[in-house]
Amino acid sequence: MSALQEILSWPPRRDDERRLALWDAEAIAAATGGTASCDFEVSGVEIDSRDVRFGELFFALKGEKSDGHAYLDKAFAKGAAAAVVDRPIDRPHILVEDTTQALERLAQAARDRAPARVIGVTGSVGKTGVKEAVFTALERSSRGAAHRSVRSYNNHVGVPLSLARMPERSEFGVFEMGMNHAGEIAALTRQVRPDVAVITTIAPAHIENLGSEEAIADAKAEIFRGLAPGGTAVIPADSPHFERLRTAAQECGARILSFGRAAHADVRLLDAIPSANGGSLVTAALGEARLCYTVAEPGEHWIANSLCVLAAVKAAGGDLGAAGLALAEMGGLKGRGERNRVPVPGGHVLLIDESYNANPASMRATLAQLGQTPAGRRIAVLGAMKELGDFAPRFHAQLAAPLCEAGVDMAILVGPEMSALARELGNAGGVSGATMSYVHCEGPGEAIAALEEFGLLGGDAVLVKGSNSVGLGTLVAHFSTRER
């Protein structure tokens, strides 16, 4: 039987009778408290006129620097079917008092109408990758009835937008939640109301605003406050803040499911060995059961991420076999581990794109991964780590040892915060046995020139990692798209 015949032979379900349109005018007006100018249906929801696709609903949001109403013509030119506005227009629309509040109300209506089991994901490191892997597993096992937040739509606008996009027939929803101040996760989790709340790890990201890792753990633990009755908290058993997280979850009435290497972990690593594709072959214990699977993504951090994925899928009632397949098939995400083969004289260069985000924990993990990557020469282009406040000089200087341990031949340091690392590398006694060359650049343009001057050879491996605001994505684009 062909794949198409198998699909057509699936038994019908009650959800198959649900309408295919994402929203109609009547439902949007009812959810937002607005007034519809006419009848219409929309296939999606968008807030950026540049990203509008045919048939979508455009929300004209007001920001600190711009007003979405100024982009209505562009949105309709791109194919918008209607808009949510705070003033009448001569196109199909929903008239509301406040468009931002209307988006939040539509998000609430989407959460209320779908029968989905909802998973919320946060953490200092790994939340986007874990979110993507959990979604891929649940989408596979639910015949495509899973929904997720795309990109890193994890803030006060991205979360309600992602919720508003959730189809009525969804069986699972996976939403990422981020923060850089206390109280932000609490607001987001009230919107998501997860059945499963996941914390990937705790690390000193955003420590500038929060002051300590304990405060970061407390801020991440706010996700438990929105748990639906009978919900599950998925937490890292190996974290030094495990007891703090467990207590916070218990206070919210959550069932606890932990993951990691620790003997008390509910989803526990038994063994991990390198696999032929550069990833890992992992064996995990889930109670009395054992699961052996491949993780395509390289690095020790992805072994831990995989255990988190299994725990989240198990808590959501998903298929663990599908989770194993999802982990085996996942490739790196753009800016978050994507691997590009760049042609150069004498062969290819491996360009590892980690340009979207950086903090001390993820820097150490990716440098360790670089050190395990077979290469003629290893080159690290490291951008500054942001939001570290008074801790910044110390955390940047501490990258000297991981650079040395990774066997890096050339380090290109980008951004003023990297001066502390440059001083450490320049200190003859700062890093025992350090033989690498290094250069300190003000911005990505200088870094491109420095890497061009150094010269790339076949067999080189280049890691590019830094906080997104540093702009190292331009360096990745420059080298990954150039012709031989």
PDB file of all heavy atoms in Angstrom, residues 318-351:
ATOM      1  N   GLY A 318       2.630  11.904  24.719  1.00  0.00           N
ATOM      2  CA  GLY A 318       3.023  11.674  23.338  1.00  0.00           C
ATOM      3  C   GLY A 318       3.720  10.343  23.155  1.00  0.00           C
ATOM      4  O   GLY A 318       3.870   9.547  24.088  1.00  0.00           O
ATOM      5  N   ASP A 319       4.153  10.100  21.943  1.00  0.00           N
ATOM      6  CA  ASP A 319       4.786   8.846  21.546  1.00  0.00           C
ATOM      7  C   ASP A 319       6.296   8.979  21.725  1.00  0.00           C
ATOM      8  O   ASP A 319       6.940   9.779  21.042  1.00  0.00           O
ATOM      9  CB  ASP A 319       4.430   8.557  20.079  1.00  0.00           C
ATOM     10  CG  ASP A 319       4.916   7.191  19.607  1.00  0.00           C
ATOM     11  OD1 ASP A 319       6.030   6.797  19.968  1.00  0.00           O
ATOM     12  OD2 ASP A 319       4.159   6.532  18.860  1.00  0.00           O
ATOM     13  N   LEU A 320       6.884   8.181  22.610  1.00  0.00           N
ATOM     14  CA  LEU A 320       8.316   8.274  22.876  1.00  0.00           C
ATOM     15  C   LEU A 320       9.142   7.770  21.702  1.00  0.00           C
ATOM     16  O   LEU A 320      10.248   8.252  21.465  1.00  0.00           O
ATOM     17  CB  LEU A 320       8.666   7.494  24.140  1.00  0.00           C
ATOM     18  CG  LEU A 320       8.136   8.105  25.447  1.00  0.00           C
ATOM     19  CD1 LEU A 320       8.367   7.161  26.613  1.00  0.00           C
ATOM     20  CD2 LEU A 320       8.810   9.447  25.710  1.00  0.00           C
ATOM     21  N   GLY A 321       8.611   6.813  20.962  1.00  0.00           N
ATOM     22  CA  GLY A 321       9.305   6.352  19.757  1.00  0.00           C
ATOM     23  C   GLY A 321       9.427   7.479  18.743  1.00  0.00           C
ATOM     24  O   GLY A 321      10.467   7.659  18.114  1.00  0.00           O
ATOM     25  N   ALA A 322       8.349   8.255  18.598  1.00  0.00           N
ATOM     26  CA  ALA A 322       8.381   9.397  17.683  1.00  0.00           C
ATOM     27  C   ALA A 322       9.370  10.445  18.169  1.00  0.00           C
ATOM     28  O   ALA A 322      10.018  11.124  17.360  1.00  0.00           O
ATOM     29  CB  ALA A 322       6.984  10.010  17.555  1.00  0.00           C
ATOM     30  N   ALA A 323       9.513  10.578  19.479  1.00  0.00           N
ATOM     31  CA  ALA A 323      10.491  11.520  20.028  1.00  0.00           C
ATOM     32  C   ALA A 323      11.907  11.099  19.658  1.00  0.00           C
ATOM     33  O   ALA A 323      12.749  11.929  19.289  1.00  0.00           O
ATOM     34  CB  ALA A 323      10.340  11.613  21.536  1.00  0.00           C
ATOM     35  N   GLY A 324      12.189   9.797  19.752  1.00  0.00           N
ATOM     36  CA  GLY A 324      13.501   9.295  19.362  1.00  0.00           C
ATOM     37  C   GLY A 324      13.793   9.550  17.897  1.00  0.00           C
ATOM     38  O   GLY A 324      14.893   9.959  17.530  1.00  0.00           O
ATOM     39  N   LEU A 325      12.800   9.348  17.037  1.00  0.00           N
ATOM     40  CA  LEU A 325      12.976   9.611  15.608  1.00  0.00           C
ATOM     41  C   LEU A 325      13.190  11.097  15.347  1.00  0.00           C
ATOM     42  O   LEU A 325      14.002  11.485  14.501  1.00  0.00           O
ATOM     43  CB  LEU A 325      11.758   9.109  14.831  1.00  0.00           C
ATOM     44  CG  LEU A 325      11.584   7.589  14.785  1.00  0.00           C
ATOM     45  CD1 LEU A 325      10.252   7.236  14.144  1.00  0.00           C
ATOM     46  CD2 LEU A 325      12.732   6.935  14.023  1.00  0.00           C
ATOM     47  N   ALA A 326      12.466  11.945  16.059  1.00  0.00           N
ATOM     48  CA  ALA A 326      12.606  13.385  15.883  1.00  0.00           C
ATOM     49  C   ALA A 326      14.029  13.830  16.226  1.00  0.00           C
ATOM     50  O   ALA A 326      14.631  14.651  15.514  1.00  0.00           O
ATOM     51  CB  ALA A 326      11.591  14.124  16.750  1.00  0.00           C
ATOM     52  N   LEU A 327      14.579  13.303  17.306  1.00  0.00           N
ATOM     53  CA  LEU A 327      15.936  13.670  17.720  1.00  0.00           C
ATOM     54  C   LEU A 327      16.973  13.184  16.714  1.00  0.00           C
ATOM     55  O   LEU A 327      18.001  13.831  16.510  1.00  0.00           O
ATOM     56  CB  LEU A 327      16.224  13.088  19.100  1.00  0.00           C
ATOM     57  CG  LEU A 327      15.454  13.749  20.245  1.00  0.00           C
ATOM     58  CD1 LEU A 327      15.452  12.858  21.482  1.00  0.00           C
ATOM     59  CD2 LEU A 327      16.057  15.113  20.578  1.00  0.00           C
ATOM     60  N   ALA A 328      16.694  12.053  16.067  1.00  0.00           N
ATOM     61  CA  ALA A 328      17.627  11.521  15.068  1.00  0.00           C
ATOM     62  C   ALA A 328      17.608  12.319  13.783  1.00  0.00           C
ATOM     63  O   ALA A 328      18.605  12.367  13.052  1.00  0.00           O
ATOM     64  CB  ALA A 328      17.283  10.061  14.771  1.00  0.00           C
ATOM     65  N   GLU A 329      16.477  12.979  13.496  1.00  0.00           N
ATOM     66  CA  GLU A 329      16.316  13.662  12.219  1.00  0.00           C
ATOM     67  C   GLU A 329      16.590  15.154  12.292  1.00  0.00           C
ATOM     68  O   GLU A 329      16.742  15.808  11.260  1.00  0.00           O
ATOM     69  CB  GLU A 329      14.884  13.443  11.703  1.00  0.00           C
ATOM     70  CG  GLU A 329      14.584  11.999  11.372  1.00  0.00           C
ATOM     71  CD  GLU A 329      13.127  11.768  11.050  1.00  0.00           C
ATOM     72  OE1 GLU A 329      12.329  12.718  11.189  1.00  0.00           O
ATOM     73  OE2 GLU A 329      12.783  10.636  10.665  1.00  0.00           O
ATOM     74  N   MET A 330      16.640  15.721  13.500  1.00  0.00           N
ATOM     75  CA  MET A 330      16.791  17.169  13.617  1.00  0.00           C
ATOM     76  C   MET A 330      18.159  17.652  13.159  1.00  0.00           C
ATOM     77  O   MET A 330      19.184  17.100  13.522  1.00  0.00           O
ATOM     78  CB  MET A 330      16.575  17.618  15.066  1.00  0.00           C
ATOM     79  CG  MET A 330      15.120  17.752  15.450  1.00  0.00           C
ATOM     80  SD  MET A 330      14.952  18.670  16.994  1.00  0.00           S
ATOM     81  CE  MET A 330      15.440  20.317  16.483  1.00  0.00           C
ATOM     82  N   GLY A 331      18.138  18.693  12.343  1.00  0.00           N
ATOM     83  CA  GLY A 331      19.374  19.378  11.987  1.00  0.00           C
ATOM     84  C   GLY A 331      19.466  20.656  12.797  1.00  0.00           C
ATOM     85  O   GLY A 331      18.519  21.071  13.455  1.00  0.00           O
ATOM     86  N   GLY A 332      20.609  21.313  12.746  1.00  0.00           N
ATOM     87  CA  GLY A 332      20.770  22.558  13.481  1.00  0.00           C
ATOM     88  C   GLY A 332      19.883  23.652  12.924  1.00  0.00           C
ATOM     89  O   GLY A 332      19.654  23.740  11.713  1.00  0.00           O
ATOM     90  N   LEU A 333      19.379  24.510  13.791  1.00  0.00           N
ATOM     91  CA  LEU A 333      18.558  25.633  13.376  1.00  0.00           C
ATOM     92  C   LEU A 333      19.448  26.813  13.009  1.00  0.00           C
ATOM     93  O   LEU A 333      20.543  26.977  13.548  1.00  0.00           O
ATOM     94  CB  LEU A 333      17.616  26.036  14.520  1.00  0.00           C
ATOM     95  CG  LEU A 333      16.720  24.930  15.089  1.00  0.00           C
ATOM     96  CD1 LEU A 333      15.984  25.447  16.313  1.00  0.00           C
ATOM     97  CD2 LEU A 333      15.748  24.434  14.051  1.00  0.00           C
ATOM     98  N   LYS A 334      18.962  27.651  12.104  1.00  0.00           N
ATOM     99  CA  LYS A 334      19.728  28.824  11.707  1.00  0.00           C
ATOM    100  C   LYS A 334      20.040  29.667  12.933  1.00  0.00           C
ATOM    101  O   LYS A 334      19.157  30.037  13.692  1.00  0.00           O
ATOM    102  CB  LYS A 334      18.939  29.644  10.688  1.00  0.00           C
ATOM    103  CG  LYS A 334      19.719  30.837  10.157  1.00  0.00           C
ATOM    104  CD  LYS A 334      18.935  31.575   9.083  1.00  0.00           C
ATOM    105  CE  LYS A 334      19.744  32.748   8.544  1.00  0.00           C
ATOM    106  NZ  LYS A 334      19.020  33.481   7.478  1.00  0.00           N
ATOM    107  N   GLY A 335      21.320  29.978  13.120  1.00  0.00           N
ATOM    108  CA  GLY A 335      21.748  30.766  14.263  1.00  0.00           C
ATOM    109  C   GLY A 335      21.853  29.971  15.549  1.00  0.00           C
ATOM    110  O   GLY A 335      22.316  30.485  16.561  1.00  0.00           O
ATOM    111  N   ARG A 336      21.452  28.712  15.497  1.00  0.00           N
ATOM    112  CA  ARG A 336      21.430  27.882  16.707  1.00  0.00           C
ATOM    113  C   ARG A 336      21.999  26.495  16.417  1.00  0.00           C
ATOM    114  O   ARG A 336      21.412  25.488  16.774  1.00  0.00           O
ATOM    115  CB  ARG A 336      20.005  27.762  17.250  1.00  0.00           C
ATOM    116  CG  ARG A 336      19.379  29.113  17.628  1.00  0.00           C
ATOM    117  CD  ARG A 336      17.952  28.903  18.090  1.00  0.00           C
ATOM    118  NE  ARG A 336      17.274  30.139  18.403  1.00  0.00           N
ATOM    119  CZ  ARG A 336      17.320  30.771  19.572  1.00  0.00           C
ATOM    120  NH1 ARG A 336      18.031  30.249  20.539  1.00  0.00           N
ATOM    121  NH2 ARG A 336      16.657  31.881  19.772  1.00  0.00           N
ATOM    122  N   GLY A 337      23.131  26.461  15.748  1.00  0.00           N
ATOM    123  CA  GLY A 337      23.801  25.187  15.524  1.00  0.00           C
ATOM    124  C   GLY A 337      23.784  24.701  14.089  1.00  0.00           C
ATOM    125  O   GLY A 337      24.299  23.612  13.809  1.00  0.00           O
ATOM    126  N   GLU A 338      23.207  25.486  13.179  1.00  0.00           N
ATOM    127  CA  GLU A 338      23.195  25.070  11.777  1.00  0.00           C
ATOM    128  C   GLU A 338      24.621  24.911  11.278  1.00  0.00           C
ATOM    129  O   GLU A 338      25.488  25.743  11.549  1.00  0.00           O
ATOM    130  CB  GLU A 338      22.452  26.096  10.928  1.00  0.00           C
ATOM    131  CG  GLU A 338      22.311  25.695   9.471  1.00  0.00           C
ATOM    132  CD  GLU A 338      21.518  26.715   8.674  1.00  0.00           C
ATOM    133  OE1 GLU A 338      21.912  27.902   8.681  1.00  0.00           O
ATOM    134  OE2 GLU A 338      20.504  26.326   8.061  1.00  0.00           O
ATOM    135  N   ARG A 339      24.855  23.850  10.515  1.00  0.00           N
ATOM    136  CA  ARG A 339      26.193  23.566  10.002  1.00  0.00           C
ATOM    137  C   ARG A 339      26.210  23.744   8.490  1.00  0.00           C
ATOM    138  O   ARG A 339      25.419  23.128   7.783  1.00  0.00           O
ATOM    139  CB  ARG A 339      26.631  22.150  10.390  1.00  0.00           C
ATOM    140  CG  ARG A 339      26.768  21.996  11.904  1.00  0.00           C
ATOM    141  CD  ARG A 339      27.373  20.672  12.303  1.00  0.00           C
ATOM    142  NE  ARG A 339      27.978  20.814  13.632  1.00  0.00           N
ATOM    143  CZ  ARG A 339      29.034  20.158  14.054  1.00  0.00           C
ATOM    144  NH1 ARG A 339      29.646  19.307  13.245  1.00  0.00           N
ATOM    145  NH2 ARG A 339      29.504  20.343  15.262  1.00  0.00           N
ATOM    146  N   ASN A 340      27.101  24.597   8.023  1.00  0.00           N
ATOM    147  CA  ASN A 340      27.220  24.883   6.603  1.00  0.00           C
ATOM    148  C   ASN A 340      28.579  24.429   6.093  1.00  0.00           C
ATOM    149  O   ASN A 340      29.595  24.607   6.765  1.00  0.00           O
ATOM    150  CB  ASN A 340      27.081  26.392   6.353  1.00  0.00           C
ATOM    151  CG  ASN A 340      25.771  26.945   6.858  1.00  0.00           C
ATOM    152  OD1 ASN A 340      24.723  26.681   6.324  1.00  0.00           O
ATOM    153  ND2 ASN A 340      25.846  27.734   7.931  1.00  0.00           N
ATOM    154  N   ARG A 341      28.588  23.852   4.905  1.00  0.00           N
ATOM    155  CA  ARG A 341      29.833  23.478   4.245  1.00  0.00           C
ATOM    156  C   ARG A 341      30.163  24.563   3.232  1.00  0.00           C
ATOM    157  O   ARG A 341      29.442  24.750   2.250  1.00  0.00           O
ATOM    158  CB  ARG A 341      29.705  22.104   3.568  1.00  0.00           C
ATOM    159  CG  ARG A 341      29.746  20.961   4.571  1.00  0.00           C
ATOM    160  CD  ARG A 341      29.404  19.634   3.904  1.00  0.00           C
ATOM    161  NE  ARG A 341      30.270  19.328   2.778  1.00  0.00           N
ATOM    162  CZ  ARG A 341      31.484  18.780   2.862  1.00  0.00           C
ATOM    163  NH1 ARG A 341      31.979  18.493   4.066  1.00  0.00           N
ATOM    164  NH2 ARG A 341      32.188  18.509   1.790  1.00  0.00           N
ATOM    165  N   VAL A 342      31.240  25.286   3.486  1.00  0.00           N
ATOM    166  CA  VAL A 342      31.630  26.423   2.656  1.00  0.00           C
ATOM    167  C   VAL A 342      32.802  26.018   1.766  1.00  0.00           C
ATOM    168  O   VAL A 342      33.855  25.597   2.272  1.00  0.00           O
ATOM    169  CB  VAL A 342      32.034  27.628   3.532  1.00  0.00           C
ATOM    170  CG1 VAL A 342      32.477  28.801   2.666  1.00  0.00           C
ATOM    171  CG2 VAL A 342      30.886  28.023   4.442  1.00  0.00           C
ATOM    172  N   PRO A 343      32.633  26.115   0.436  1.00  0.00           N
ATOM    173  CA  PRO A 343      33.739  25.732  -0.454  1.00  0.00           C
ATOM    174  C   PRO A 343      34.888  26.733  -0.387  1.00  0.00           C
ATOM    175  O   PRO A 343      34.680  27.948  -0.416  1.00  0.00           O
ATOM    176  CB  PRO A 343      33.086  25.725  -1.839  1.00  0.00           C
ATOM    177  CG  PRO A 343      31.920  26.649  -1.726  1.00  0.00           C
ATOM    178  CD  PRO A 343      31.434  26.528  -0.317  1.00  0.00           C
ATOM    179  N   VAL A 344      36.098  26.202  -0.268  1.00  0.00           N
ATOM    180  CA  VAL A 344      37.323  27.017  -0.268  1.00  0.00           C
ATOM    181  C   VAL A 344      38.380  26.245  -1.049  1.00  0.00           C
ATOM    182  O   VAL A 344      38.216  25.050  -1.319  1.00  0.00           O
ATOM    183  CB  VAL A 344      37.835  27.290   1.170  1.00  0.00           C
ATOM    184  CG1 VAL A 344      36.836  28.115   1.969  1.00  0.00           C
ATOM    185  CG2 VAL A 344      38.154  25.982   1.884  1.00  0.00           C
ATOM    186  N   PRO A 345      39.463  26.905  -1.410  1.00  0.00           N
ATOM    187  CA  PRO A 345      40.543  26.160  -2.072  1.00  0.00           C
ATOM    188  C   PRO A 345      40.993  24.974  -1.225  1.00  0.00           C
ATOM    189  O   PRO A 345      41.272  25.118  -0.040  1.00  0.00           O
ATOM    190  CB  PRO A 345      41.661  27.213  -2.194  1.00  0.00           C
ATOM    191  CG  PRO A 345      40.924  28.521  -2.252  1.00  0.00           C
ATOM    192  CD  PRO A 345      39.762  28.348  -1.334  1.00  0.00           C
ATOM    193  N   GLY A 346      40.996  23.825  -1.819  1.00  0.00           N
ATOM    194  CA  GLY A 346      41.438  22.634  -1.112  1.00  0.00           C
ATOM    195  C   GLY A 346      40.334  21.861  -0.432  1.00  0.00           C
ATOM    196  O   GLY A 346      40.620  20.926   0.312  1.00  0.00           O
ATOM    197  N   GLY A 347      39.082  22.248  -0.656  1.00  0.00           N
ATOM    198  CA  GLY A 347      37.992  21.482  -0.055  1.00  0.00           C
ATOM    199  C   GLY A 347      36.882  22.345   0.494  1.00  0.00           C
ATOM    200  O   GLY A 347      36.430  23.298  -0.146  1.00  0.00           O
ATOM    201  N   HIS A 348      36.449  22.030   1.725  1.00  0.00           N
ATOM    202  CA  HIS A 348      35.345  22.747   2.359  1.00  0.00           C
ATOM    203  C   HIS A 348      35.703  23.123   3.794  1.00  0.00           C
ATOM    204  O   HIS A 348      36.508  22.454   4.450  1.00  0.00           O
ATOM    205  CB  HIS A 348      34.069  21.890   2.377  1.00  0.00           C
ATOM    206  CG  HIS A 348      33.448  21.711   1.028  1.00  0.00           C
ATOM    207  ND1 HIS A 348      33.903  20.771   0.126  1.00  0.00           N
ATOM    208  CD2 HIS A 348      32.406  22.363   0.426  1.00  0.00           C
ATOM    209  CE1 HIS A 348      33.165  20.839  -0.980  1.00  0.00           C
ATOM    210  NE2 HIS A 348      32.258  21.787  -0.819  1.00  0.00           N
ATOM    211  N   VAL A 349      35.080  24.176   4.244  1.00  0.00           N
ATOM    212  CA  VAL A 349      35.157  24.589   5.645  1.00  0.00           C
ATOM    213  C   VAL A 349      33.830  24.276   6.312  1.00  0.00           C
ATOM    214  O   VAL A 349      32.755  24.493   5.724  1.00  0.00           O
ATOM    215  CB  VAL A 349      35.449  26.104   5.758  1.00  0.00           C
ATOM    216  CG1 VAL A 349      35.217  26.613   7.174  1.00  0.00           C
ATOM    217  CG2 VAL A 349      36.880  26.400   5.324  1.00  0.00           C
ATOM    218  N   LEU A 350      33.877  23.748   7.518  1.00  0.00           N
ATOM    219  CA  LEU A 350      32.664  23.555   8.315  1.00  0.00           C
ATOM    220  C   LEU A 350      32.396  24.840   9.083  1.00  0.00           C
ATOM    221  O   LEU A 350      33.200  25.242   9.933  1.00  0.00           O
ATOM    222  CB  LEU A 350      32.837  22.386   9.286  1.00  0.00           C
ATOM    223  CG  LEU A 350      31.689  22.175  10.295  1.00  0.00           C
ATOM    224  CD1 LEU A 350      30.387  21.852   9.565  1.00  0.00           C
ATOM    225  CD2 LEU A 350      32.042  21.089  11.300  1.00  0.00           C
ATOM    226  N   LEU A 351      31.276  25.498   8.787  1.00  0.00           N
ATOM    227  CA  LEU A 351      30.903  26.751   9.451  1.00  0.00           C
ATOM    228  C   LEU A 351      29.721  26.469  10.378  1.00  0.00           C
ATOM    229  O   LEU A 351      28.635  26.129   9.923  1.00  0.00           O
ATOM    230  CB  LEU A 351      30.531  27.809   8.413  1.00  0.00           C
ATOM    231  CG  LEU A 351      30.135  29.196   8.934  1.00  0.00           C
ATOM    232  CD1 LEU A 351      31.304  29.835   9.673  1.00  0.00           C
ATOM    233  CD2 LEU A 351      29.673  30.088   7.785  1.00  0.00           C
TER     234      LEU A 351
END
